[in-house]
Short mmCIF file of all heavy atoms in Angstrom, two decimals:
data_model
loop_
_atom_site.label_atom_id
_atom_site.label_comp_id
_atom_site.label_asym_id
_atom_site.label_seq_id
_atom_site.Cartn_x
_atom_site.Cartn_y
_atom_site.Cartn_z
N ALA E 631 94.10 -175.52 -84.17
CA ALA E 631 93.62 -176.11 -82.93
C ALA E 631 92.24 -176.66 -83.16
O ALA E 631 91.36 -175.93 -83.64
CB ALA E 631 93.55 -174.94 -81.83
N GLY E 632 92.00 -177.85 -82.85
CA GLY E 632 90.75 -178.39 -83.05
C GLY E 632 89.57 -177.78 -82.29
O GLY E 632 88.47 -177.60 -82.85
N TRP E 633 89.81 -177.35 -81.15
CA TRP E 633 88.78 -176.72 -80.38
C TRP E 633 88.35 -175.42 -80.94
O TRP E 633 87.15 -175.03 -80.92
CB TRP E 633 89.20 -176.51 -78.83
CG TRP E 633 90.41 -175.52 -78.75
CD1 TRP E 633 91.69 -175.92 -78.64
CD2 TRP E 633 90.31 -174.16 -78.68
NE1 TRP E 633 92.46 -174.72 -78.59
CE2 TRP E 633 91.68 -173.68 -78.58
CE3 TRP E 633 89.34 -173.22 -78.70
CZ2 TRP E 633 91.98 -172.39 -78.52
CZ3 TRP E 633 89.63 -171.85 -78.57
CH2 TRP E 633 90.99 -171.37 -78.52
N ALA E 634 89.28 -174.72 -81.67
CA ALA E 634 88.92 -173.45 -82.29
C ALA E 634 88.02 -173.78 -83.52
O ALA E 634 87.06 -173.02 -83.78
CB ALA E 634 90.17 -172.76 -82.76
N TYR E 635 88.26 -174.83 -84.21
CA TYR E 635 87.38 -175.22 -85.32
C TYR E 635 85.97 -175.56 -84.80
O TYR E 635 84.99 -175.12 -85.36
CB TYR E 635 87.92 -176.51 -85.97
CG TYR E 635 89.25 -176.22 -86.73
CD1 TYR E 635 90.26 -177.15 -86.60
CD2 TYR E 635 89.40 -175.22 -87.65
CE1 TYR E 635 91.44 -177.02 -87.32
CE2 TYR E 635 90.54 -175.05 -88.33
CZ TYR E 635 91.57 -175.91 -88.24
OH TYR E 635 92.77 -175.71 -88.85
N GLN E 636 85.95 -176.21 -83.67
CA GLN E 636 84.67 -176.51 -83.07
C GLN E 636 83.88 -175.29 -82.72
O GLN E 636 82.64 -175.08 -82.90
CB GLN E 636 84.76 -177.43 -81.91
CG GLN E 636 83.48 -178.02 -81.45
CD GLN E 636 83.59 -179.26 -80.52
OE1 GLN E 636 84.77 -179.55 -80.21
NE2 GLN E 636 82.53 -179.90 -80.15
N ARG E 637 84.64 -174.25 -82.17
CA ARG E 637 83.94 -173.00 -81.72
C ARG E 637 83.33 -172.31 -82.98
O ARG E 637 82.23 -171.75 -82.96
CB ARG E 637 84.95 -172.17 -81.04
CG ARG E 637 85.27 -172.62 -79.69
CD ARG E 637 84.33 -172.19 -78.64
NE ARG E 637 84.21 -170.75 -78.49
CZ ARG E 637 84.95 -170.06 -77.68
NH1 ARG E 637 85.90 -170.65 -76.97
NH2 ARG E 637 84.89 -168.73 -77.64
N LEU E 638 84.17 -172.33 -83.99
CA LEU E 638 83.75 -171.67 -85.23
C LEU E 638 82.49 -172.39 -85.73
O LEU E 638 81.52 -171.73 -86.30
CB LEU E 638 84.89 -171.67 -86.26
CG LEU E 638 85.93 -170.65 -86.00
CD1 LEU E 638 87.12 -170.93 -86.99
CD2 LEU E 638 85.47 -169.15 -86.13
N TYR E 639 82.45 -173.64 -85.72
CA TYR E 639 81.37 -174.41 -86.25
C TYR E 639 80.11 -174.04 -85.43
O TYR E 639 79.04 -173.89 -85.97
CB TYR E 639 81.67 -175.93 -86.19
CG TYR E 639 80.59 -176.77 -86.70
CD1 TYR E 639 80.42 -176.97 -88.03
CD2 TYR E 639 79.73 -177.48 -85.83
CE1 TYR E 639 79.45 -177.80 -88.55
CE2 TYR E 639 78.72 -178.28 -86.39
CZ TYR E 639 78.64 -178.43 -87.69
OH TYR E 639 77.63 -179.27 -88.19
N GLU E 640 80.28 -174.02 -84.15
CA GLU E 640 79.10 -173.80 -83.33
C GLU E 640 78.50 -172.32 -83.51
O GLU E 640 77.38 -172.11 -83.36
CB GLU E 640 79.47 -174.03 -81.83
CG GLU E 640 79.72 -175.48 -81.42
CD GLU E 640 80.34 -175.57 -80.10
OE1 GLU E 640 80.68 -174.57 -79.42
OE2 GLU E 640 80.61 -176.69 -79.66
N ALA E 641 79.50 -171.39 -83.84
CA ALA E 641 79.01 -170.13 -84.05
C ALA E 641 78.35 -169.87 -85.30
O ALA E 641 77.45 -169.06 -85.47
CB ALA E 641 80.16 -169.19 -83.83
N HIS E 642 78.72 -170.62 -86.34
CA HIS E 642 78.25 -170.29 -87.69
C HIS E 642 77.56 -171.40 -88.45
O HIS E 642 77.04 -171.14 -89.56
CB HIS E 642 79.42 -169.79 -88.58
CG HIS E 642 80.26 -168.65 -87.96
ND1 HIS E 642 79.74 -167.40 -87.72
CD2 HIS E 642 81.48 -168.66 -87.41
CE1 HIS E 642 80.58 -166.65 -87.19
NE2 HIS E 642 81.68 -167.37 -86.97
N ALA E 643 77.46 -172.56 -87.92
CA ALA E 643 76.84 -173.64 -88.63
C ALA E 643 75.35 -173.47 -88.77
O ALA E 643 74.73 -173.81 -89.86
CB ALA E 643 77.13 -175.00 -87.92
N ARG E 644 74.68 -172.87 -87.90
CA ARG E 644 73.26 -172.81 -87.91
C ARG E 644 72.84 -171.83 -89.01
O ARG E 644 71.91 -172.22 -89.76
CB ARG E 644 72.69 -172.26 -86.53
CG ARG E 644 71.26 -172.44 -86.34
CD ARG E 644 70.92 -172.32 -84.85
NE ARG E 644 69.44 -172.16 -84.68
CZ ARG E 644 68.92 -170.99 -84.31
NH1 ARG E 644 69.66 -169.93 -84.06
NH2 ARG E 644 67.60 -170.90 -84.25
N PRO E 645 73.33 -170.57 -89.13
CA PRO E 645 72.87 -169.75 -90.29
C PRO E 645 73.28 -170.38 -91.65
O PRO E 645 72.64 -170.19 -92.59
CB PRO E 645 73.59 -168.39 -90.06
CG PRO E 645 74.67 -168.67 -89.07
CD PRO E 645 74.23 -169.89 -88.22
N VAL E 646 74.40 -171.05 -91.63
CA VAL E 646 74.81 -171.66 -92.94
C VAL E 646 73.75 -172.83 -93.31
O VAL E 646 73.36 -172.84 -94.46
CB VAL E 646 76.23 -172.33 -92.92
CG1 VAL E 646 76.51 -173.09 -94.15
CG2 VAL E 646 77.25 -171.26 -92.73
N ALA E 647 73.32 -173.52 -92.31
CA ALA E 647 72.32 -174.54 -92.54
C ALA E 647 70.93 -173.90 -92.95
O ALA E 647 70.32 -174.31 -93.87
CB ALA E 647 72.12 -175.46 -91.36
N ALA E 648 70.72 -172.76 -92.30
CA ALA E 648 69.43 -172.01 -92.74
C ALA E 648 69.47 -171.51 -94.14
O ALA E 648 68.56 -171.57 -94.84
CB ALA E 648 69.21 -170.88 -91.65
N TYR E 649 70.64 -170.99 -94.45
CA TYR E 649 70.83 -170.56 -95.91
C TYR E 649 70.67 -171.71 -96.84
O TYR E 649 69.98 -171.45 -97.88
CB TYR E 649 72.20 -169.90 -95.98
CG TYR E 649 72.62 -169.51 -97.43
CD1 TYR E 649 72.02 -168.42 -98.00
CD2 TYR E 649 73.61 -170.17 -98.06
CE1 TYR E 649 72.34 -167.96 -99.23
CE2 TYR E 649 73.89 -169.82 -99.41
CZ TYR E 649 73.30 -168.74 -100.02
OH TYR E 649 73.62 -168.36 -101.19
N ALA E 650 71.29 -172.79 -96.48
CA ALA E 650 71.20 -174.03 -97.42
C ALA E 650 69.71 -174.42 -97.50
O ALA E 650 69.24 -174.84 -98.54
CB ALA E 650 72.03 -175.11 -97.01
N ARG E 651 69.02 -174.37 -96.31
CA ARG E 651 67.62 -174.77 -96.34
C ARG E 651 66.79 -173.87 -97.15
O ARG E 651 65.90 -174.26 -97.94
CB ARG E 651 67.11 -174.89 -94.95
CG ARG E 651 66.05 -175.79 -94.67
CD ARG E 651 65.79 -175.95 -93.18
NE ARG E 651 66.85 -176.75 -92.50
CZ ARG E 651 67.61 -176.33 -91.54
NH1 ARG E 651 67.61 -175.05 -91.14
NH2 ARG E 651 68.52 -177.18 -91.09
N GLY E 652 67.05 -172.58 -97.05
CA GLY E 652 66.24 -171.58 -97.84
C GLY E 652 66.49 -171.66 -99.27
O GLY E 652 65.69 -171.31 -100.07
N GLN E 653 67.66 -172.20 -99.63
CA GLN E 653 67.99 -172.33 -100.99
C GLN E 653 67.47 -173.60 -101.62
O GLN E 653 67.69 -173.92 -102.78
CB GLN E 653 69.52 -172.20 -101.30
CG GLN E 653 70.08 -170.86 -101.00
CD GLN E 653 69.86 -169.84 -102.24
OE1 GLN E 653 69.17 -170.28 -103.22
NE2 GLN E 653 70.46 -168.77 -102.27
N GLY E 654 66.84 -174.36 -100.79
CA GLY E 654 66.26 -175.64 -101.23
C GLY E 654 67.29 -176.76 -101.39
O GLY E 654 67.12 -177.68 -102.31
N SER E 655 68.23 -176.76 -100.50
CA SER E 655 69.21 -177.87 -100.49
C SER E 655 68.62 -179.18 -100.21
O SER E 655 67.74 -179.29 -99.32
CB SER E 655 70.41 -177.55 -99.60
OG SER E 655 71.23 -178.65 -99.49
N GLU E 656 69.08 -180.31 -100.85
CA GLU E 656 68.48 -181.56 -100.52
C GLU E 656 69.04 -182.11 -99.23
O GLU E 656 68.39 -182.81 -98.53
CB GLU E 656 68.90 -182.55 -101.63
CG GLU E 656 68.18 -182.29 -102.90
CD GLU E 656 68.64 -183.30 -103.99
OE1 GLU E 656 69.71 -183.76 -103.96
OE2 GLU E 656 67.80 -183.57 -104.92
N ASP E 657 70.24 -181.73 -98.92
CA ASP E 657 70.86 -182.17 -97.66
C ASP E 657 71.61 -181.03 -96.97
O ASP E 657 72.74 -180.85 -97.07
CB ASP E 657 71.85 -183.33 -98.00
CG ASP E 657 72.46 -183.97 -96.76
OD1 ASP E 657 72.03 -183.61 -95.66
OD2 ASP E 657 73.48 -184.63 -96.88
N PRO E 658 70.80 -180.17 -96.23
CA PRO E 658 71.44 -179.03 -95.64
C PRO E 658 72.58 -179.41 -94.63
O PRO E 658 73.59 -178.75 -94.66
CB PRO E 658 70.32 -178.30 -94.98
CG PRO E 658 69.08 -178.89 -95.62
CD PRO E 658 69.34 -180.24 -96.03
N ASP E 659 72.34 -180.44 -93.89
CA ASP E 659 73.28 -180.80 -92.87
C ASP E 659 74.61 -181.26 -93.54
O ASP E 659 75.70 -180.89 -93.10
CB ASP E 659 72.73 -181.91 -91.92
CG ASP E 659 71.67 -181.34 -91.14
OD1 ASP E 659 71.44 -180.14 -91.07
OD2 ASP E 659 70.91 -182.16 -90.48
N GLY E 660 74.47 -182.05 -94.56
CA GLY E 660 75.71 -182.56 -95.28
C GLY E 660 76.36 -181.42 -95.91
O GLY E 660 77.62 -181.29 -95.98
N LEU E 661 75.63 -180.40 -96.46
CA LEU E 661 76.27 -179.31 -97.15
C LEU E 661 77.01 -178.45 -96.11
O LEU E 661 78.09 -177.99 -96.44
CB LEU E 661 75.19 -178.47 -97.83
CG LEU E 661 75.68 -177.31 -98.74
CD1 LEU E 661 75.02 -177.36 -100.07
CD2 LEU E 661 75.53 -175.96 -98.03
N VAL E 662 76.42 -178.30 -94.88
CA VAL E 662 77.11 -177.57 -93.88
C VAL E 662 78.42 -178.20 -93.56
O VAL E 662 79.49 -177.55 -93.42
CB VAL E 662 76.24 -177.45 -92.63
CG1 VAL E 662 77.02 -176.90 -91.44
CG2 VAL E 662 74.99 -176.55 -92.89
N ASN E 663 78.44 -179.57 -93.37
CA ASN E 663 79.63 -180.26 -93.11
C ASN E 663 80.66 -180.03 -94.20
O ASN E 663 81.88 -179.78 -93.89
CB ASN E 663 79.39 -181.77 -92.95
CG ASN E 663 78.95 -182.10 -91.49
OD1 ASN E 663 79.71 -182.56 -90.70
ND2 ASN E 663 77.62 -181.92 -91.23
N ASP E 664 80.17 -180.19 -95.42
CA ASP E 664 81.11 -179.94 -96.55
C ASP E 664 81.73 -178.49 -96.58
O ASP E 664 82.98 -178.37 -96.74
CB ASP E 664 80.41 -180.22 -97.82
CG ASP E 664 81.33 -180.20 -99.08
OD1 ASP E 664 82.49 -180.61 -98.91
OD2 ASP E 664 80.78 -179.87 -100.15
N VAL E 665 80.94 -177.57 -96.32
CA VAL E 665 81.31 -176.18 -96.32
C VAL E 665 82.47 -175.99 -95.24
O VAL E 665 83.45 -175.32 -95.53
CB VAL E 665 80.18 -175.20 -96.07
CG1 VAL E 665 80.68 -173.81 -95.77
CG2 VAL E 665 79.31 -175.17 -97.31
N PHE E 666 82.15 -176.42 -94.05
CA PHE E 666 83.21 -176.14 -93.01
C PHE E 666 84.43 -177.02 -93.17
O PHE E 666 85.54 -176.52 -92.87
CB PHE E 666 82.55 -176.53 -91.65
CG PHE E 666 81.74 -175.42 -91.02
CD1 PHE E 666 80.44 -175.18 -91.32
CD2 PHE E 666 82.30 -174.49 -90.20
CE1 PHE E 666 79.65 -174.14 -90.89
CE2 PHE E 666 81.60 -173.44 -89.74
CZ PHE E 666 80.28 -173.23 -90.01
N LEU E 667 84.35 -178.11 -93.81
CA LEU E 667 85.51 -178.90 -94.08
C LEU E 667 86.41 -178.07 -95.09
O LEU E 667 87.64 -178.03 -95.01
CB LEU E 667 85.18 -180.23 -94.63
CG LEU E 667 84.94 -181.34 -93.54
CD1 LEU E 667 84.55 -182.68 -94.20
CD2 LEU E 667 86.29 -181.65 -92.79
N ARG E 668 85.78 -177.63 -96.02
CA ARG E 668 86.51 -176.86 -97.16
C ARG E 668 87.07 -175.66 -96.52
O ARG E 668 88.26 -175.30 -96.80
CB ARG E 668 85.52 -176.41 -98.27
CG ARG E 668 85.15 -177.45 -99.25
CD ARG E 668 84.63 -176.80 -100.46
NE ARG E 668 83.62 -177.51 -101.14
CZ ARG E 668 83.02 -177.12 -102.24
NH1 ARG E 668 83.39 -175.96 -102.79
NH2 ARG E 668 82.14 -177.88 -102.84
N ALA E 669 86.37 -174.95 -95.63
CA ALA E 669 86.89 -173.72 -94.99
C ALA E 669 88.10 -174.01 -94.15
O ALA E 669 89.07 -173.32 -94.19
CB ALA E 669 85.78 -173.04 -94.29
N PHE E 670 87.95 -175.04 -93.34
CA PHE E 670 89.06 -175.38 -92.40
C PHE E 670 90.30 -175.72 -93.25
O PHE E 670 91.46 -175.47 -92.79
CB PHE E 670 88.72 -176.46 -91.44
CG PHE E 670 87.59 -175.94 -90.48
CD1 PHE E 670 86.69 -176.83 -89.88
CD2 PHE E 670 87.44 -174.62 -90.17
CE1 PHE E 670 85.69 -176.43 -89.00
CE2 PHE E 670 86.40 -174.19 -89.28
CZ PHE E 670 85.55 -175.09 -88.75
N ARG E 671 90.15 -176.46 -94.17
CA ARG E 671 91.23 -176.96 -95.00
C ARG E 671 91.95 -175.85 -95.72
O ARG E 671 93.14 -175.97 -96.09
CB ARG E 671 90.82 -178.03 -95.93
CG ARG E 671 90.59 -179.42 -95.27
CD ARG E 671 90.09 -180.42 -96.19
NE ARG E 671 89.81 -181.70 -95.57
CZ ARG E 671 89.11 -182.63 -96.08
NH1 ARG E 671 88.41 -182.52 -97.14
NH2 ARG E 671 88.94 -183.82 -95.43
N SER E 672 91.23 -174.83 -95.92
CA SER E 672 91.69 -173.63 -96.76
C SER E 672 92.00 -172.45 -95.86
O SER E 672 92.16 -171.39 -96.34
CB SER E 672 90.85 -173.27 -97.89
OG SER E 672 90.57 -174.39 -98.70
N LEU E 673 92.01 -172.67 -94.60
CA LEU E 673 92.05 -171.52 -93.64
C LEU E 673 93.37 -170.76 -93.85
O LEU E 673 93.44 -169.57 -93.50
CB LEU E 673 91.87 -171.95 -92.23
CG LEU E 673 91.53 -170.92 -91.29
CD1 LEU E 673 90.18 -170.22 -91.63
CD2 LEU E 673 91.30 -171.50 -89.87
N ASP E 674 94.45 -171.43 -94.20
CA ASP E 674 95.70 -170.78 -94.24
C ASP E 674 95.72 -169.73 -95.39
O ASP E 674 96.61 -168.88 -95.46
CB ASP E 674 96.87 -171.72 -94.45
CG ASP E 674 96.58 -172.67 -95.60
OD1 ASP E 674 95.50 -172.71 -96.16
OD2 ASP E 674 97.54 -173.36 -95.94
N ARG E 675 94.77 -169.77 -96.31
CA ARG E 675 94.71 -168.76 -97.34
C ARG E 675 93.68 -167.65 -97.07
O ARG E 675 93.58 -166.78 -97.91
CB ARG E 675 94.34 -169.46 -98.71
CG ARG E 675 95.30 -170.47 -99.15
CD ARG E 675 95.05 -170.91 -100.49
NE ARG E 675 95.95 -171.88 -100.93
CZ ARG E 675 96.15 -172.20 -102.25
NH1 ARG E 675 95.40 -171.66 -103.20
NH2 ARG E 675 97.06 -173.05 -102.56
N PHE E 676 93.08 -167.69 -95.98
CA PHE E 676 92.10 -166.74 -95.60
C PHE E 676 92.78 -165.69 -94.71
O PHE E 676 93.44 -166.04 -93.78
CB PHE E 676 90.90 -167.30 -94.94
CG PHE E 676 89.97 -166.33 -94.27
CD1 PHE E 676 89.14 -165.63 -95.13
CD2 PHE E 676 89.94 -166.10 -92.96
CE1 PHE E 676 88.28 -164.69 -94.51
CE2 PHE E 676 89.13 -165.20 -92.38
CZ PHE E 676 88.35 -164.41 -93.15
N GLN E 677 92.55 -164.47 -94.99
CA GLN E 677 93.00 -163.37 -94.17
C GLN E 677 91.85 -162.51 -93.77
O GLN E 677 91.02 -162.01 -94.62
CB GLN E 677 94.03 -162.55 -94.89
CG GLN E 677 95.30 -163.24 -95.26
CD GLN E 677 96.31 -162.37 -95.97
OE1 GLN E 677 95.90 -161.36 -96.47
NE2 GLN E 677 97.51 -162.84 -96.08
N GLY E 678 91.73 -162.31 -92.46
CA GLY E 678 90.56 -161.48 -92.00
C GLY E 678 90.17 -161.90 -90.69
O GLY E 678 90.63 -162.91 -90.01
N ASP E 679 89.11 -161.24 -90.14
CA ASP E 679 88.66 -161.57 -88.79
C ASP E 679 87.48 -162.53 -88.95
O ASP E 679 87.14 -163.08 -89.99
CB ASP E 679 88.22 -160.25 -88.11
CG ASP E 679 87.24 -159.53 -88.92
OD1 ASP E 679 86.86 -159.95 -90.00
OD2 ASP E 679 86.85 -158.36 -88.50
N GLU E 680 86.81 -162.70 -87.80
CA GLU E 680 85.72 -163.70 -87.82
C GLU E 680 84.53 -163.22 -88.56
O GLU E 680 83.79 -163.97 -89.15
CB GLU E 680 85.30 -163.97 -86.36
CG GLU E 680 84.39 -165.18 -86.24
CD GLU E 680 84.31 -165.71 -84.82
OE1 GLU E 680 85.12 -165.32 -84.02
OE2 GLU E 680 83.34 -166.48 -84.55
N ASP E 681 84.34 -161.90 -88.64
CA ASP E 681 83.24 -161.34 -89.45
C ASP E 681 83.47 -161.71 -90.95
O ASP E 681 82.52 -162.01 -91.68
CB ASP E 681 83.14 -159.88 -89.27
CG ASP E 681 81.72 -159.38 -89.26
OD1 ASP E 681 80.82 -160.19 -88.97
OD2 ASP E 681 81.43 -158.28 -89.63
N GLY E 682 84.76 -161.49 -91.30
CA GLY E 682 85.09 -161.88 -92.75
C GLY E 682 84.95 -163.34 -93.01
O GLY E 682 84.64 -163.87 -94.04
N PHE E 683 85.33 -164.14 -91.89
CA PHE E 683 85.22 -165.53 -92.04
C PHE E 683 83.76 -166.02 -92.23
O PHE E 683 83.46 -166.92 -93.03
CB PHE E 683 85.82 -166.20 -90.73
CG PHE E 683 85.70 -167.72 -90.78
CD1 PHE E 683 86.49 -168.50 -91.54
CD2 PHE E 683 84.76 -168.36 -89.96
CE1 PHE E 683 86.41 -169.87 -91.50
CE2 PHE E 683 84.64 -169.72 -89.93
CZ PHE E 683 85.47 -170.47 -90.66
N ARG E 684 82.86 -165.28 -91.61
CA ARG E 684 81.46 -165.60 -91.71
C ARG E 684 80.97 -165.33 -93.17
O ARG E 684 80.33 -166.19 -93.73
CB ARG E 684 80.65 -164.68 -90.74
CG ARG E 684 79.22 -164.95 -90.72
CD ARG E 684 78.50 -163.90 -89.90
NE ARG E 684 77.08 -164.07 -89.79
CZ ARG E 684 76.40 -164.82 -88.96
NH1 ARG E 684 77.10 -165.44 -88.03
NH2 ARG E 684 75.06 -164.92 -88.96
N ALA E 685 81.40 -164.26 -93.75
CA ALA E 685 81.07 -163.98 -95.09
C ALA E 685 81.70 -164.98 -96.07
O ALA E 685 81.06 -165.50 -97.03
CB ALA E 685 81.55 -162.58 -95.51
N TRP E 686 82.89 -165.43 -95.78
CA TRP E 686 83.63 -166.33 -96.51
C TRP E 686 82.84 -167.74 -96.53
O TRP E 686 82.88 -168.42 -97.56
CB TRP E 686 85.01 -166.50 -96.04
CG TRP E 686 85.94 -167.34 -96.84
CD1 TRP E 686 86.14 -167.25 -98.20
CD2 TRP E 686 86.84 -168.32 -96.40
NE1 TRP E 686 87.04 -168.18 -98.60
CE2 TRP E 686 87.52 -168.85 -97.52
CE3 TRP E 686 87.10 -168.82 -95.13
CZ2 TRP E 686 88.41 -169.84 -97.43
CZ3 TRP E 686 88.03 -169.86 -95.06
CH2 TRP E 686 88.77 -170.36 -96.17
#
Side-chain angles (χ1 to χ4, degrees):
Chain E
W633 62 266
Y635 291 134
Q636 191 164 4
R637 289 278 297 275
L638 286 173
Y639 182 80
E640 289 169 358
H642 304 294
R644 197 163 163 252
V646 173
Y649 174 73
R651 206 170 287 117
Q653 289 282 9
S655 171
E656 290 180 330
D657 182 12
D659 293 347
L661 189 133
V662 169
N663 276 262
D664 187 31
V665 166
F666 275 86
L667 274 175
R668 282 199 213 180
F670 293 154
R671 284 174 179 163
S672 308
L673 195 60
D674 53 349
R675 298 192 177 195
F676 170 75
Q677 289 181 350
D679 55 2
E680 191 166 345
D681 216 27
F683 178 74
R684 182 186 180 91
W686 188 47

